[in-house]
Amino acid sequence: MKKITGAIVALAALVSLAACGGGSSDKASNSSSSAKTEQQGDQLAAIKKAGVLKVATSADFAPFEFHTMVDGKDKIVGADIDLANEIGKELGVKVKVSDMSFNTVLASVKEGKADIAISGVSATNERKKQFDFTDNYYNPPQVVVINKKNKDKFKDVAALSGKQVGAQKGSIQEDVVKNQLKGAKLVSIEKVPNMVVEVNQGSLDALVVEKTIAESYVEQNPDLMIASDIALKPSSDEAFAIALPKGQTKLQGEMNKIIKKLNDDGKIEQFVKENNQLAEKSAKE
């Protein structure tokens, strides 16, 4: 009842302000608010009108999004980027990808700086409070990566108790460490390559990352290995989905159709395999 009463008081205050207002600054604010509301009401139409789909990503998550040299120029590529380009093609618009830290990817969508976030994002219950999501498009298994010199030391979950285990800041892997590696000390780091360096150097005992990502980094770093004896339980919460602003049902529905079509045709799995090969090739060059 307090919430209802508060709403009535707030409404009364707004009516009062509207009656007293009328200055140019108020009109500009109302106009801006109205335009924002209109865009939020049908962002799919707004994207098509603009001719551009703005995508937020954190390009340090090979093979889903990463940097590589193409024709002598640095380019963001990956399975998620291929997915974004397919969506753009289906919508008839260009795709503009912005690279940023993972923990700011969702914030950019919330602030309207990006239309969607495609960056190995998992649709957790906590995130669903602030964002809408498409259907899952890929469900990756999670693994623990260690230094080979510790292969006889870290043979089970209990062996990591009290040890420092890295996970990307703002990622689902933070929850995996907290919930499945009981007793381990979570170390949150913004960039996956930084974690890899620390496990190589020994300042981190292990890191948790998606299996395909792990395979790519292990290929690039011969001193590392996947701890196959430490099994992590898969969860639908860890599947990847595209994050959207709240209430974008038309955009959500259109993207779900595209995702279903791509998965039915085996395209997304193909994107992952092809970009995994590209990541490994790029690492060797």
Side-chain angles (χ1 to χ4, degrees):
M1 289 302 295
K2 287 182 180 179
K3 290 182 179 180
I4 296 173
T5 303
I8 294 171
V9 171
L11 180 60
L14 286 172
V15 171
S16 176
L17 284 172
C20 297
S24 59
S25 61
D26 289 331
K27 290 178 181 177
S29 176
N30 289 340
S31 176
S32 174
S33 176
S34 177
K36 187 175 180 181
T37 301
E38 182 181 351
Q39 185 175 2
Q40 287 176 342
D42 189 355
Q43 194 165 359
L44 176 59
I47 290 168
K48 289 184 175 182
K49 183 178 180 181
V52 178
L53 176 66
K54 294 179 289 184
V55 178
T57 196
S58 178
D60 63 338
F61 203 54
F64 292 94
E65 44 269 325
F66 59 102
H67 288 266
T68 192
M69 298 300 291
V70 178
D71 297 328
K73 295 181 180 180
D74 180 72
K75 187 176 180 181
I76 299 174
V77 297
D80 281 349
I81 307 306
D82 288 344
L83 172 58
N85 288 330
E86 285 294 323
I87 291 171
K89 190 186 298 182
E90 291 289 332
L91 297 181
V93 299
K94 294 179 180 179
V95 174
K96 181 181 178 182
V97 177
S98 296
D99 183 19
M100 59 195 73
S101 297
F102 184 79
N103 61 324
T104 61
V105 166
L106 290 176
S108 70
V109 174
K110 191 171 184 179
E111 293 166 3
K113 295 176 181 177
D115 298 309
I116 61 174
I118 306 180
S119 192
V121 180
S122 301
T124 63
N125 289 331
E126 191 64 29
R127 287 171 179 164
K128 286 179 180 177
K129 294 176 183 177
Q130 301 185 65
F131 303 90
D132 282 339
F133 289 87
T134 63
D135 294 336
N136 295 333
Y137 62 87
Y138 186 76
N139 195 351
Q142 307 294 325
V143 296
V144 176
V145 175
I146 60 173
N147 196 300
K148 284 182 179 177
K149 66 183 181 182
N150 294 321
K151 65 179 181 179
D152 295 327
K153 184 178 178 182
F154 300 142
K155 282 189 165 293
D156 54 30
V157 171
L160 290 173
S161 181
K163 304 301 181 183
Q164 295 195 8
V165 179
Q168 188 174 33
K169 188 175 181 180
S171 72
I172 191 70
Q173 284 77 28
E174 287 182 315
D175 292 330
V176 173
V177 175
K178 292 175 186 176
N179 299 328
Q180 298 195 44
L181 301 179
K182 300 292 186 181
K185 297 177 181 177
L186 171 65
V187 179
S188 298
I189 297 176
E190 283 198 356
K191 296 288 186 179
V192 175
N194 295 347
M195 287 193 291
V196 172
V197 170
E198 292 202 31
V199 175
N200 255 326
Q201 295 176 343
S203 50
L204 269 183
D205 296 298
L207 67 89
V208 173
V209 74
E210 189 270 320
K211 186 179 179 182
T212 309
I213 310 298
E215 290 172 342
S216 179
Y217 280 108
V218 166
E219 176 71 22
Q220 300 169 37
N221 297 271
D223 289 336
L224 301 184
M225 63 176 286
I226 294 174
S228 56
D229 293 330
I230 303 177
L232 299 176
K233 298 175 183 177
S235 168
S236 59
D237 285 346
E238 296 162 15
F240 296 163
I242 300 172
L244 318 165
K246 272 286 187 183
Q248 294 304 320
T249 54
K250 290 183 180 179
L251 182 61
Q252 184 184 48
E254 191 67 24
M255 289 195 173
N256 282 340
K257 290 177 185 177
I258 298 169
I259 288 170
K260 184 179 186 307
K261 178 183 175 183
L262 292 173
N263 266 327
D264 288 347
D265 293 341
K267 288 283 190 178
I268 294 178
E269 187 65 35
Q270 181 183 334
F271 293 158
V272 174
K273 290 181 180 178
E274 289 177 350
N275 283 283
N276 196 35
Q277 293 171 356
L278 177 59
E280 291 174 2
K281 180 182 176 184
S282 299
K284 294 174 182 177
E285 293 178 348

